[in-house]
Amino acid sequence: MRLHGGLAPVRCIELAKAAEAEGLSSVWFAENPLERGALTALAACAASTSCIELGVGVWNPYLRHPAQIAMDISALDELANGRVALGIGSGLAAPIEKLGIDNKRPLGALEECFDTVRALLRGETVDGVKLSYAARPDIPLLMAARGERALRLCGRVADGLIVSNMCPPGFAKHAALAARARRVVQYVPCSVGPDRRQAVAAMTPVLAGLLKTFWGLAQRVPAARTSLVTYSGIPEADFAMVEPDERFLEAFTVTGDADDCRRRVAAYREAGVTDLVLTFVGAEPARDMAYLLRALGA
């Protein structure tokens, strides 16, 4: 399950506990500039759960110094008794730029960040400083990546790959191979239930908003355009549609009834996605989570 800055920490606790009770393997916390920071909800969920993995997806080296990232993730890991995984990425470029931060060399910043965080977690000295306590040295470090150079960097420095929303299974397969990733975490929006029309109605406005955001990104970032158009098979001109149709639901979401759920989840599994992290967009995420798991026979 994916949680995010649009949810209050108390709501995150409720959903993380529900996910653990249902037997989900992990909960991932998205963090975007000027939304709620993830650390408060992560710490609260660490104290309120006992076995589910807690993933950070993602922190970036522009809003958090790599040393601060190492400090925060290791302290959180202590609180969670070794249940955390850390995703690092370059973050959303436009809002970071608006804060007056120079983010023109994201790959260099990411490589340095991974090197620094990993060394500090191992107890090593970096530029004359080290952590004052023993951290878990093998906290999993994953990287959010989409472009070809970023995927190659992921293969060199990270323990796994995080694939963004709005990337079809075909792109996930390509990215996993390019990054040589044994662990692939993919975010996907989800709306499920026995009434397919109701599930589609709940997803349609959410998907329309995502398409607007990511199509805008695609005008500036060629890799975003490739993941949207090339791997979806949808003609570029159709991305200007006011309301997404079935092709978009099929390419970018898990939406529908039990049969739809099984088919879409299988497509991501066949693409090499090891951790399908779903954002339940309906009014009752815990109910929808339980329905999905029953549909999958879990």
Side-chain angles (χ1 to χ4, degrees), residues 186 200 222 258:
Q186 171 140 18
V200 169

Side-chain angles (χ1 to χ4, degrees), residues 5-6 9 16 25 29 37-38 62 71-72 94 106 109 141 146 163-164 175 177 189 194 219 225 240 294:
S25 61
F29 295 74
Y62 301 111
M71 292 159 57
D72 286 343
L141 305 184
R146 180 164 31 205
V163 180
S164 171
L177 291 171
Q219 308 315 302
R225 181 186 293 267
R294 288 195 303 272

Side-chain angles (χ1 to χ4, degrees), residues 193-212:
D195 186 332
R196 189 179 192 279
R197 288 183 298 177
Q198 189 175 38
V200 169
M203 177 57 74
T204 299
V206 175
L207 181 56
L210 286 168
L211 279 169
K212 181 178 180 181

Side-chain angles (χ1 to χ4, degrees), residues 26-290:
S26 63
V27 177
W28 286 78
F29 295 74
E31 182 177 275
N32 291 319
L34 302 179
E35 295 182 357
R36 289 180 182 90
L39 186 56
T40 299
L42 277 158
C45 290
S48 302
T49 60
S50 60
C51 59
I52 195 166
E53 182 183 42
L54 304 172
V56 180
V58 298
W59 284 341
N60 68 74
Y62 301 111
L63 300 185
R64 269 189 178 84
H65 189 279
Q68 188 69 51
I69 291 176
M71 292 159 57
D72 286 343
I73 199 63
S74 56
L76 179 67
D77 190 65
E78 286 183 316
L79 181 61
N81 292 316
R83 291 185 287 129
V84 306
L86 170 62
I88 300 172
S90 57
L92 298 178
I96 291 173
E97 288 170 2
K98 288 181 180 179
L99 294 172
I101 298 171
D102 183 0
N103 59 352
K104 293 183 177 64
R105 295 182 58 256
L107 296 184
L110 284 172
E111 184 166 12
E112 181 179 352
C113 183
F114 271 91
D115 290 345
T116 300
V117 171
R118 203 179 290 281
L120 289 172
L121 293 178
R122 289 195 297 247
E124 298 173 9
T125 299
V126 179
D127 294 332
V129 300
K130 63 184 295 185
L131 296 181
S132 65
Y133 55 94
R136 177 160 71 104
D138 59 349
I139 293 173
L141 305 184
L142 292 81
M143 178 174 159
R146 180 164 31 205
E148 296 303 314
R149 292 175 60 210
L151 290 169
R152 290 195 295 272
L153 176 63
C154 176
R156 293 200 307 272
V157 303
D159 302 315
L161 168 69
I162 297 178
V163 180
S164 171
N165 283 311
M166 305 304 288
C167 292
F171 175 78
K173 182 176 182 178
H174 162 76
L177 291 171
R180 306 189 306 278
R182 280 179 272 185
R183 184 175 186 186
V184 180
V185 173
Q186 171 140 18
Y187 290 165
V188 179
C190 178
S191 177
V192 296
D195 186 332
R196 189 179 192 279
R197 288 183 298 177
Q198 189 175 38
V200 169
M203 177 57 74
T204 299
V206 175
L207 181 56
L210 286 168
L211 279 169
K212 181 178 180 181
T213 297
F214 279 81
W215 189 240
L217 177 66
Q219 308 315 302
R220 306 187 303 275
V221 180
R225 181 186 293 267
T226 297
S227 64
L228 282 171
V229 178
T230 303
Y231 289 94
S232 71
I234 299 172
E236 186 170 327
D238 292 356
F239 279 82
M241 293 177 65
V242 175
E243 186 172 289
D245 59 23
E246 283 284 343
R247 296 171 301 164
F248 291 89
L249 291 169
E250 186 77 5
F252 300 113
T253 77
V254 173
T255 297
D257 58 21
D259 289 337
D260 295 310
C261 293
R262 287 189 287 268
R263 187 183 70 257
R264 297 307 301 145
V265 169
Y268 286 100
R269 185 184 301 117
E270 290 166 7
V273 174
T274 59
D275 302 60
L276 186 61
V277 179
L278 301 174
T279 306
F280 292 92
V281 305
E284 298 185 50
R287 179 200 63 190
D288 295 346
M289 185 194 326

